[in-house]
C-alpha cells in the first residue's frame, strides 16, 4: 500500500502548494489594488488615523483636527474641524468620515493625509526614526480679509457668490457663496453628522447650501457681458475707439424679426458711443454690435475669455456657456448676456481681470503651494498665461470705458477714494417670460496710483430680498465688490 | 538528543531489533517554542492595542504551558515512540489561534454584534477539554487496532452524528447551514466528530474488502469496473454526502467525507480507476445539486465575483455575503509582511472573523509571510500523518492514518482555499486555530489517534525471544 500512500503524500503537498500560490497571488500580486480599493473601509480608517494636514490662508490654518470621541464602535480616530467653516467651504470643500471629501480636501487628500507619493521619502525616513505619519499642508492664494468682506456682503443679501482674482497672476483672492454650510457639522460619522448632512442636501433644502455658486453655478451674466462684446468690437476693428459713434438706431429691431430690443428706461442710446453705451448700459448698442460682428467672431472672443471650457483651479469650475449655434437675433441677445449665455462668477471675474491686466488672461488658481509636514515645499504653482483676448491698447480703451461706468455711470457705488475703479453692472432677467426676480451682477477691478491692479472681482446676488424694481447690479452687487476690493488693497498696505 | 536507548542486548552479535529513537526530548524542546511563540504574540497584541503587556500574560503562558506539558507527559508515558512533530505543531497552531481570538475579542465592532468578547477564555476551555480527550485517547486506546472491532458500530455512529442536525428541535440553522445541534446552552457540530468515526469505519471496511475491490473487477473501456456488490458502499457514501449537502447545505463536510473516502479507497485498492470514478461521481453530484440548490449557487456566485456580491449586499438588493470580498481585502491589506498583531482591521469581516475566516485575520496581521508559515505547519502535520501511515505495519493503521491526515489536508484546503477565493467558500473551520469547541476537541482527538498509530509504528519490534542456543552462535568478525 505504500505506492499509493506516497502519491497521496504528493497530492496533499500539491494542495498546500496550491494554497501557497494562491496566497502569493492575493497578498503580493493583488495586494495593492485590494488595499487601496475605495470600498475597503481600511482606506477611510487610514485616512483618519492621523491628524490631517491643514489648508492655510494668509499663514493661518482654516482647518484643524480633533480626536473624535471614542463612542461606540467608531474606528476613526481623528476628525476634521473648520474655523469659519461656512465662510471657507467654497474653498476647502469638506472632509467627512462618513461622506467622503470634496474640493481641495479631496483633490489634495494625498498631501493632507501624508499618503502622497511625493512624501514617500519623508514617510520612509519617519518610519525608520519611529515618527508617526503626518499630513502636509495646502497653502492657498486666498486673502482672508477679502473673503470676509465678500462673505459678509453676501450674507446681508441672501443668496449669491463672489469670485475675486489677482489679475496679474490669476491667483484667486476670494471665493464666497451663500447660503453656505459648515463642513464641521458632518465631519464625523455619528447620527448627528448624518442628520446635518441630510438637512443640507438639495432635496431637503431648496436653497442648496452645498452648491459652490462661485464655481459651479452658471447665471445669465446680463449686461456685464457687454464688456466681452465691447472687447470683440475693438479686437475685430468694428470700432477703434471708445468715443466713436456707433450708428445705432433707436428703436433697434432685431435682425430678421419684428421684435424691438428694448433698453432699461429712457436712456441716451441713439447713435451712442461705446463709452456712453457702457456707462448707461444700452442693450441696443451692444445687441447691434453682436449682430454686426456675427456669431463666429463673438464666439471666438468669448472663448478667448474662457467661455465654453472648464477651469481647474485645481477645483473644477463649470464651463460657462456662449452658444455655438444661433441666428442673428439670438446673437444680438447673447451679446448682451441673455439668450443662452451663462457664466460662473469666476468666469466674469476672469473677464474683469483680463481688462485690468492689459488684455492678458492669467490662468486662475487657488493653491499656491503644497507643503510637506516639515513645511518643505512639495510643489509650487507658477502663474500661467491662459490667453490674450485683447491687445494692450484695446484693453486700455476698455479700461477707460469701465472706469467711466464707476465714475459717472451705473456703478458709482463701487467707488473707492484714491483708487481708480473700473466696473460694469448687470441685471440679468431669468425665468420663463422673465417671471423671476433678476440676478444682480457687478464685475470690477481696482487700479492703484502706481498702475498696478491687485484685484478683479465678480459679484452676483440672486433673488435679493429687495423689491423687484430695486434689483440692480449697481445697487446690490457693487457695494460688495467695493468692500472686497478695498479689503485687498488695505491688506496690501 | 535522544533519551531512548535501544533495547539492550547482552551480545552485540545477536540480531536484535533496530528501534527508532523515541525523540521525546526533541518534542519537549519543540513544545517550548510552541508555547513561547504564542506567549510573545500575546504580549505583542497587548502592546499594540493597549500599549501595555496584557495582565493575563502570566496566567495565559502558564495555562498553555501546562496544557502542553500535560499532553507531553501523556505522550511520554503512553506513547513514548510517537512522532515528535505532531504535538508541537498542533500546540503552536492552537496557541496562535488563541492569541488571534483574544485579539479579536478586543474589537468593539465584534463585541457589538456579540461575536467576540469572551471567545478566548471559552476557546482556552475547549483546548483544555481537547487535550483531556487527547490524553484520554492515549490512555484508553492502547492499540489502535482495537478500533477495527467497531467498524460497523462506527458506521452507524457516523450516520447518527451526521443526521442529528436534521432532528427537529435539536438541530439549528445558523447562517444558512444546518450543521449544529443544541444541547442546553452548548452548540455542537457533530460533523467534526463524524469525520473521525467515519475514518474508522472506512479503514475497517476497506481493510476487509480491499482484495475484493481491487481484484474482482471487469475490464471495461480501459478501466477496471468493480462488481456491483463491491460498488455498493461507495455509492452509499456518495449518496449520503449528497444528502448532507442537500439537507444541511453543508458543502464542506460532504466534500471532505467523499474526498476522504476516495483517498482511502485508492490506498486500499491501489487502483487509479477508483479515483476516476470518485471524481466523476462527485462532479456529477455537485453539478446536480448546484442546479437546484440556491445556497450552492450563491456560494459559487460569491466566489466568481465577490465584488459584485459585495455591492449587492451593500445596497441591500439581494447580495448574500460581503464576507468574501472583506476577506480578500483583509488579505490584500496585510500584504507581504502584514500590519502586525493587533494592528489590522479584520473585524470588518464581521461575524466569522474569529472562526471560519480567522485565516483572513491572520493574513491581515501576519501578512503573506505569516500565512505561508501557517500553511507550511498544516502541510507538515499532514505529511507527518502520511509518514505515520507509511511506517505503520498493519493495513488498518495505514488506512486510518492516511484517512485522518488526508481528511485533515482536505479540510485545510477547502477552508483556506475558500477564504482566499481559490474555490467557492464552504462553512468549515481551520483546524486548531479557528474558534469553536467541536473543532478543537475533535481535532485533538484526531491528533491523539495519529500519535497512537505513530507510536505503534515506530515502536521497536519486541526483541526475539532469547534463543536457548544463542550462546553457541558464532559471528565471524571481519
Amino acid at each position: 500500500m505504500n505506492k499509493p500512500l506516497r502519491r497521496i503524500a504528493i497530492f496533499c503537498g500539491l494542495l498546500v502548494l496550491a494554497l501557497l500560490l494562491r496566497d502569493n497571488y492575493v497578498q503580493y500580486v493583488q495586494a495593492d489594488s485590494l488595499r487601496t480599493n475605495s470600498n475597503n473601509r481600511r482606506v477611510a480608517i487610514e485616512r483618519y488615523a492621523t491628524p490631517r494636514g491643514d489648508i492655510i490662508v494668509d499663514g493661518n490654518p482654516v482647518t484643524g483636527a480633533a480626536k473624535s470621541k471614542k463612542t461606540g464602535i467608531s474606528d476613526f480616530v481623528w476628525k476634521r474641524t473648520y474655523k469659519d467653516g461656512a465662510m471657507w467651504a467654497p474653498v476647502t470643500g469638506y472632509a467627512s468620515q462618513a461622506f467622503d471629501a470634496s474640493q481641495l480636501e479631496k483633490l489634495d487628500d494625498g498631501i493632507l493625509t501624508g499618503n502622497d507619493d511625493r512624501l514617500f521619502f519623508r514617510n520612509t525616513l519617519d518610519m525608520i526614526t519611529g515618527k508617526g505619519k503626518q499630513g502636509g499642508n495646502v497653502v492657498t492664494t486666498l486673502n482672508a480679509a477679502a473673503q470676509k468682506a465678500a462673505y459678509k456682503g453676501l450674507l446681508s443679501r441672501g443668496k449669491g457668490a463672489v469670485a475675486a482674482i489677482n489679475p496679474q497672476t490669476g491667483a484667486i483672492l476670494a471665493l464666497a457663496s451663500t447660503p453656505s454650510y459648515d463642513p464641521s457639522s458632518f465631519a464625523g460619522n455619528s447620527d448627528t453628522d448624518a442628520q446635518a448632512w441630510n438637512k443640507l442636501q438639495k432635496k431637503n433644502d431648496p436653497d442648496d447650501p452645498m452648491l459652490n455658486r462661485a464655481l459651479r453655478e452658471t447665471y445669465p451674466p446680463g449686461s456685464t457681458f457687454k464688456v466681452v462684446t465691447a472687447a470683440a468690437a475693438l479686437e475685430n476693428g468694428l470700432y477703434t475707439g471708445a468715443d466713436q459713434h456707433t450708428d445705432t438706431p433707436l428703436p433697434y429691431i432685431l435682425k430678421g424679426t419684428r421684435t424691438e430690443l428694448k433698453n432699461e428706461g429712457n436712456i441716451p442710446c441713439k447713435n451712442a458711443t461705446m463709452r456712453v453705451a457702457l456707462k448707461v448700459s444700452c442693450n441696443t448698442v451692444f445687441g447691434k454690435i453682436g449682430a454686426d460682428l456675427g456669431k463666429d467672431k463673438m464666439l471666438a472672443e468669448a472663448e478667448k475669455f474662457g467661455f465654453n471650457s472648464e477651469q481647474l483651479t485645481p477645483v473644477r469650475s463649470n464651463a460657462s456657456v456662449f452658444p455655438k449655434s444661433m441666428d442673428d437675433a439670438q446673437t444680438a441677445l447673447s451679446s448682451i448676456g441673455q439668450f443662452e449665455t451663462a457664466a460662473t462668477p469666476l468666469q466674469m471675474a476672469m473677464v474683469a481681470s483680463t481688462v485690468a491686466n492689459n488684455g492678458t488672461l492669467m490662468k486662475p488658481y487657488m493653491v499656491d503651494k503644497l507643503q510637506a509636514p516639515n513645511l518643505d515645499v512639495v510643489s509650487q504653482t507658477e502663474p500661467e498665461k491662459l490667453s490674450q483676448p485683447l491687445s494692450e491698447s484695446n484693453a486700455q480703451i476698455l479700461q477707460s470705458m469701465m472706469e467711466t461706468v464707476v465714475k459717472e455711470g451705473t456703478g458709482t457705488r463701487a467707488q473707492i477714494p484714491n483708487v481708480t475703479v473700473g466696473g460694469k453692472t448687470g441685471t440679468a432677467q431669468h425665468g420663463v417670460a422673465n417671471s423671476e426676480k433678476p440676478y444682480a451682477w457687478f464685475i470690477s477691478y481696482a487700479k492703484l496710483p502706481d498702475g498696478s491692479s491687485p484685484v478683479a472681482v465678480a459679484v452676483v446676488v440672486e433673488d435679493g430680498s429687495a423689491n423687484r424694481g430695486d434689483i440692480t447690479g449697481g445697487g446690490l452687487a457693487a457695494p460688495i465688490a467695493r468692500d472686497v476690493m478695498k479689503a485687498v488693497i488695505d491688506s496690501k498696505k | 538528543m535522544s533519551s531512548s536507548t535501544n533495547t539492550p542486548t547482552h551480545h552485540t552479535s545477536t540480531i536484535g531489533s533496530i528501534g527508532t529513537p523515541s525523540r521525546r526530548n526533541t518534542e519537549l524542546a519543540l513544545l517550548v517554542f510552541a508555547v513561547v511563540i504564542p506567549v510573545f504574540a500575546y504580549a505583542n497584541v497587548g502592546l499594540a492595542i493597549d500599549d501595555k503587556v496584557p495582565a493575563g500574560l502570566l496566567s495565559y503562558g502558564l495555562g498553555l504551558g501546562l496544557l502542553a506539558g500535560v499532553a507531553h507527559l501523556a505522550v511520554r508515558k503512553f506513547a513514548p515512540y510517537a512522532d515528535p512533530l505532531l504535538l508541537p505543531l498542533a500546540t503552536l497552531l492552537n496557541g496562535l489561534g488563541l492569541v488571534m481570538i483574544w485579539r479579536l475579542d478586543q474589537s468593539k465592532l465584534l463585541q457589538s454584534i456579540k461575536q467576540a468578547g469572551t471567545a478566548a477564555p471559552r476557546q482556552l476551555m475547549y483546548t483544555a477539554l481537547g487535550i483531556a480527550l487527547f490524553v484520554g485517547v492515549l490512555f484508553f486506546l492502547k492499540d489502535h487496532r482495537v478500533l477495527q472491532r467497531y467498524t460497523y458500530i462506527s458506521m452507524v455512529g457516523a450516520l447518527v452524528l451526521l443526521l442529528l442536525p436534521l432532528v427537529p428541535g435539536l438541530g439549528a440553522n445558523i447562517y444558512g447551514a444546518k450543521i449544529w445541534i443544541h444541547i442546553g446552552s452548548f452548540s455542537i457540530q457533530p460533523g467534526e466528530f463524524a469525520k473521525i468515526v467515519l475514518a474508522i469505519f472506512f479503514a475497517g471496511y476497506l481493510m476487509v474488502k480491499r482484495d475484493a475491490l481491487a481484484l474482482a473487477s471487469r475490464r471495461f473501456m480501459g478501466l477496471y469496473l468493480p462488481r456491483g456488490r463491491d460498488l455498493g458502499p461507495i455509492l452509499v457514501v456518495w449518496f449520503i454526502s449528497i444528502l448532507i449537502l442537500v439537507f444541511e447545505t453543508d458543502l464542506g463536510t460532504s466534500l471532505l467525507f467523499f474526498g476522504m473516502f476516495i483517498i482511502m479507497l485508492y490506498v486500499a485498492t491501489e487502483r487509479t480507476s477508483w479515483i476516476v470514478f470518485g471524481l466523476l461521481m462527485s462532479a456529477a453530484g455537485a453539478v446536480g445539486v448546484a442546479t437546484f440548490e440556491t445556497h450552492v449557487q450563491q456560494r459559487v456566485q460569491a466566489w466568481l465575483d465577490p465584488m459584485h456580491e459585495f455591492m449587492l449586499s451593500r445596497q441591500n438588493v439581494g447580495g448574500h455575503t460581503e464576507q468574501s470580498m472583506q476577506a480578500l481585502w483583509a488579505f490584500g491589506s496585510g500584504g507581504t509582511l502584514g500590519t502586525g498583531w493587533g494592528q489590522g482591521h479584520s473585524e470588518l469581516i464581521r461575524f466569522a472573523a474569529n472562526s471560519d475566516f480567522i485565516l483572513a485575520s491572520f493574513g491581515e496581521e501576519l501578512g503573506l509571510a505569516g500565512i505561508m508559515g501557517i500553511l507550511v505547519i498544516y502541510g507538515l502535520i499532514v505529511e507527518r500523518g502520511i509518514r505515520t501511515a507509511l511506517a505503520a505495519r498493519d493495513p488498518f493503521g495505514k488506512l486510518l492514518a492516511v484517512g485522518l491526515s488526508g481528511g485533515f489536508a482536505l479540510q485545510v484546503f477547502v477552508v483556506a482555499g475558500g477564504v482566499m477565493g481559490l474555490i467557492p467558500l464552504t462553512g468549515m473551520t481551520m483546524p486548531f486555530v479557528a474558534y469553536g469547541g467541536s473543532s478543537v476537541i475533535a481535532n485533538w482527538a484526531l491528533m491523539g489517534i495519529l500519535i497512537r498509530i505513530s507510536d505503534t509504528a515506530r515502536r521497536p519490534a519486541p526483541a526475539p525471544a532469547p534463543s536457548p542456543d544463542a550462546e553457541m552462535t558464532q559471528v565471524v568478525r571481519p
Side-chain angles (χ1 to χ4, degrees):
Chain A
M1 290 201 279
N2 283 354
K3 200 165 125 198
L5 271 178
R6 287 179 211 283
R7 288 196 180 141
I8 295 295
I10 291 169
F11 168 70
C12 291
L14 288 177
L15 288 186
V16 175
L17 185 68
L19 291 177
L20 289 174
L21 288 177
R22 172 67 186 179
D23 193 26
N24 273 275
Y25 180 68
V26 173
Q27 295 207 272
Y28 187 79
V29 179
Q30 283 193 319
D32 268 350
S33 70
L34 289 169
R35 190 169 51 79
T36 55
N37 187 299
S38 58
N39 286 301
N40 185 344
R41 192 178 167 84
R42 290 165 187 83
V43 175
I45 293 175
E46 168 88 354
R47 171 179 290 146
Y48 296 103
T50 50
R52 273 170 96 74
D54 282 315
I55 294 175
I56 290 176
V57 174
D58 280 347
N60 301 311
V62 295
T63 57
K67 278 222 167 177
S68 343
K69 276 190 215 117
K70 271 273 176 190
T71 49
I73 56 171
S74 172
D75 38 17
F76 295 136
V77 184
W78 290 89
K79 194 169 109 168
R80 193 53 143 175
T81 60
Y82 295 86
K83 290 167 198 150
D84 294 323
M87 182 168 95
W88 290 110
V91 179
T92 57
Y94 56 83
S96 163
Q97 293 173 348
F99 304 105
D100 200 19
S102 75
Q103 301 202 27
L104 285 187
E105 292 274 33
K106 174 102 172 170
L107 292 165
D108 288 319
D109 189 58
I111 289 287
L112 292 167
T113 55
N115 286 333
D116 194 284
D117 286 345
R118 288 170 286 186
L119 301 176
F120 176 78
F121 180 68
R122 159 153 300 281
N123 286 341
T124 312
L125 215 65
D126 284 351
M127 199 170 80
I128 293 167
T129 56
K131 251 166 75 179
K133 199 173 72 186
Q134 274 181 293
N137 296 328
V138 175
V139 181
T140 67
T141 58
L142 278 105
N143 179 312
Q147 179 80 3
K148 203 170 279 177
Y151 185 64
K152 233 175 85 186
L154 288 175
L155 271 187
S156 64
R157 296 292 178 204
K159 280 205 254 180
V162 172
I165 300 179
N166 178 341
Q168 284 149 352
T169 59
I172 292 176
L173 300 172
L175 210 58
S177 168
T178 53
S180 189
Y181 64 97
D182 183 2
S184 300
S185 66
F186 56 86
N189 65 345
S190 67
D191 286 346
T192 32
D193 293 287
Q195 281 161 14
W197 168 268
N198 281 333
K199 239 164 69 187
L200 290 169
Q201 297 308 299
K202 193 179 183 182
K203 58 179 190 280
N204 300 323
D205 185 346
D207 283 344
D208 200 5
M210 288 184 69
L211 175 66
N212 184 348
R213 291 175 167 75
L215 296 180
R216 298 281 171 84
E217 180 72 307
T218 55
Y219 302 90
S223 304
T224 56
F225 192 79
K226 288 169 185 166
V227 175
V228 177
T229 308
L234 291 168
E235 278 295 291
N236 288 294
L238 185 64
Y239 303 107
T240 49
D243 300 310
Q244 226 174 334
H245 288 280
T246 56
D247 197 19
T248 312
L250 194 75
Y252 172 70
I253 309 293
L254 288 171
K255 236 191 228 175
T257 70
R258 290 187 190 168
T259 314
E260 187 187 323
L261 183 59
K262 288 201 170 75
N263 290 315
E264 282 289 322
N266 188 16
I267 44 177
C269 292
K270 185 166 185 178
N271 198 20
T273 63
M274 282 210 291
R275 184 191 301 281
V276 172
L278 201 69
K279 186 178 90 177
V280 296
S281 202
C282 293
N283 289 340
T284 48
V285 173
F286 288 100
K288 181 171 179 290
I289 290 175
D292 287 354
L293 285 171
K295 145 189 93 121
D296 293 336
K297 285 178 180 166
M298 280 305 297
L299 179 64
E301 185 66 13
E303 289 191 345
K304 273 194 205 169
F305 274 102
F307 277 82
N308 292 336
S309 55
E310 294 179 342
Q311 305 299 330
L312 303 172
T313 72
V315 175
R316 181 183 61 81
S317 81
N318 280 10
S320 302
V321 179
F322 190 78
K324 289 185 175 173
S325 62
M326 46 194 177
D327 60 24
D328 285 339
Q330 289 166 337
T331 309
L333 285 174
S334 295
S335 302
I336 58 167
Q338 297 289 341
F339 188 51
E340 286 169 2
T341 309
T344 60
L346 176 74
Q347 173 62 63
M348 293 319 290
M350 286 160 69
V351 169
S353 82
T354 309
V355 177
N357 195 32
N358 291 333
T360 305
L361 174 57
M362 302 300 287
K363 183 177 162 34
Y365 67 97
M366 66 162 113
V367 173
D368 180 34
K369 56 193 169 194
L370 302 176
Q371 287 177 332
N374 67 343
L375 308 185
D376 279 350
V377 174
V378 174
S379 97
Q380 168 90 47
T381 313
E382 296 297 336
E384 202 180 313
K385 182 177 161 179
L386 197 63
S387 66
Q388 182 84 37
L390 278 167
S391 69
E392 193 170 336
S393 56
N394 283 340
Q396 275 158 3
I397 295 171
L398 203 46
Q399 281 173 19
S400 79
M401 287 159 63
M402 287 177 72
E403 281 153 22
T404 309
V405 172
V406 174
K407 212 180 287 168
E408 51 200 40
T410 52
T412 49
R413 295 191 64 182
Q415 287 170 0
I416 304 172
N418 303 325
V419 177
T420 313
V421 177
K424 179 71 194 89
T425 56
T427 310
Q429 304 169 346
H430 77 122
V432 177
N434 193 15
S435 55
E436 291 173 46
K437 285 185 179 178
Y439 298 123
W441 274 93
F442 194 73
I443 66 170
S444 67
Y445 62 87
K447 213 157 70 177
L448 295 180
D450 65 2
S452 72
S453 173
V455 57
V457 59
V459 178
V460 61
V461 175
E462 270 182 71
D463 289 359
S465 48
N467 292 325
R468 182 184 180 93
D470 297 343
I471 297 173
T472 60
L476 292 179
I480 300 175
R482 179 195 60 210
D483 291 348
V484 172
M485 291 189 291
K486 199 163 175 307
V488 173
I489 293 164
D490 288 348
S491 67
K492 289 233 158 199
K493 282 174 187 163
Chain B
M1 283 297 286
S2 165
S3 70
S4 77
T5 47
N6 293 343
T7 314
T9 46
H10 293 291
H11 307 281
T12 50
S13 55
T14 308
I15 299 168
S17 58
I18 315 278
T20 325
S22 82
R23 299 280 188 224
R24 287 283 65 77
N25 288 349
T26 311
E27 179 181 270
L28 184 61
L30 289 174
L31 263 180
V32 171
F33 283 107
V35 172
V36 167
I37 292 171
V39 167
F40 271 108
Y42 185 66
N44 198 336
V45 172
L47 287 170
I49 294 181
D50 300 324
D51 282 330
K52 60 175 196 278
V53 176
L57 186 70
L58 193 66
S59 53
Y60 173 81
L62 284 178
L64 194 63
L66 197 70
L67 288 176
V70 166
H72 172 71
L73 286 179
V75 173
R76 207 175 257 273
K77 179 93 174 81
F78 303 119
Y81 292 95
D83 188 294
L85 250 60
L86 286 171
L87 179 62
L89 292 174
T91 308
L92 179 58
L93 286 177
N94 200 333
L96 291 176
L98 272 165
V99 173
M100 183 53 85
I101 291 163
W102 181 75
R103 176 258 173 279
L104 290 170
D105 270 355
Q106 316 299 309
S107 154
K108 296 240 178 2
L109 181 68
L110 291 182
Q111 285 170 14
S112 76
I113 55 169
K114 304 249 181 313
Q115 284 299 316
T118 55
R122 280 161 174 267
Q123 180 79 347
L124 194 59
M125 188 191 77
Y126 296 142
T127 305
L129 285 176
I131 288 188
L133 192 56
F134 173 85
V135 173
V137 167
L138 292 185
F139 180 76
F140 289 109
L141 190 66
K142 292 286 187 241
D143 186 342
H144 63 268
R145 278 166 295 196
V146 173
L147 294 173
Q148 249 174 284
R149 291 184 211 148
Y150 304 108
T151 299
Y152 290 95
I153 294 177
S154 297
M155 182 185 75
V156 175
L159 288 180
V160 167
L161 281 173
L162 280 177
L163 296 175
L164 272 181
L166 295 177
V167 176
L170 200 59
N173 186 341
I174 304 179
Y175 308 125
K178 288 180 226 118
I179 51 175
W180 277 270
I181 57 167
H182 282 304
I183 299 172
S185 61
F186 285 95
S187 55
I188 296 172
Q189 246 177 297
E192 289 283 350
F193 297 95
K195 177 174 72 181
I196 300 172
V197 183
L198 211 58
I200 294 170
F201 159 62
F202 287 159
Y205 176 82
L206 291 172
M207 195 199 70
V208 175
K209 291 287 168 86
R210 54 192 283 245
D211 290 335
L213 285 166
L215 302 174
S217 55
R218 288 164 298 168
R219 201 177 152 83
F220 177 73
M221 286 176 70
L223 289 173
Y224 288 96
L225 287 186
R227 295 183 304 191
R229 62 182 129 152
D230 301 320
L231 198 64
I234 193 175
L235 287 174
V236 167
V237 171
W238 173 75
F239 192 65
I240 290 173
S241 61
I242 296 289
L243 277 187
I244 298 169
L245 185 58
V246 173
F247 289 108
E248 301 183 0
T249 53
D250 183 7
L251 289 89
T253 311
S254 52
L255 195 93
L256 168 62
F257 291 167
F258 198 68
M260 192 166 84
F261 183 56
I262 296 293
I263 286 176
M264 293 173 76
L265 198 56
Y266 172 62
V267 171
T269 60
E270 309 193 18
R271 290 268 178 191
T272 322
S273 53
W274 283 107
I275 294 184
V276 178
F277 276 125
L279 290 178
L280 285 178
M281 282 163 75
S282 56
V287 169
V289 170
T291 47
F292 65 88
E293 184 65 57
T294 51
H295 185 76
V296 180
Q297 291 164 0
Q298 290 163 12
R299 291 283 169 96
V300 172
Q301 273 167 24
W303 168 58
L304 291 175
D305 193 353
M307 192 63 206
H308 180 67
E309 205 71 6
F310 172 84
M311 296 315 282
L312 286 183
S313 101
R314 251 305 129 90
Q315 297 150 9
N316 278 325
V317 284
H320 306 105
T321 176
E322 56 178 69
Q323 279 185 315
S324 306
M325 201 60 233
Q326 289 284 10
L328 286 179
W329 281 331
F331 278 112
S333 304
T336 312
L337 293 175
T339 58
W341 283 103
Q343 296 174 63
H345 295 284
S346 40
E347 70 272 8
L348 295 175
I349 303 167
R350 305 255 170 153
F351 77 73
N354 61 5
S355 50
D356 290 17
F357 282 89
I358 197 165
L359 199 69
S361 305
F362 275 106
E364 179 166 9
E365 303 205 334
L366 302 188
L368 176 62
I371 291 292
M372 293 213 290
I374 288 173
L375 290 175
V376 167
I377 294 176
Y378 279 117
L380 277 174
I381 290 179
V382 171
E383 299 299 341
R384 295 309 288 194
I386 296 177
R387 199 185 162 82
T388 298
L390 275 168
R393 301 189 187 105
D394 62 305
F396 177 76
K398 272 183 188 300
L399 283 172
L400 185 54
V402 78
L404 292 177
S405 23
F408 192 87
L410 281 176
Q411 184 165 358
V412 169
F413 177 77
V414 167
V415 184
V419 173
M420 294 197 285
L422 183 61
I423 55 171
L425 189 70
T426 56
M428 273 204 294
T429 50
M430 242 10 221
F432 293 115
V433 294
Y435 173 68
S438 316
S439 170
V440 166
I441 295 170
N443 280 306
W444 273 114
L446 186 154
M447 211 45 64
I449 296 173
L450 270 185
I451 280 188
R452 165 57 64 224
I453 299 173
S454 82
D455 174 57
T456 315
R458 289 161 51 96
R459 187 186 293 276
S467 168
D469 48 10
E471 298 291 327
M472 256 60 98
T473 308
Q474 295 296 313
V475 174
V476 180
R477 289 168 195 270

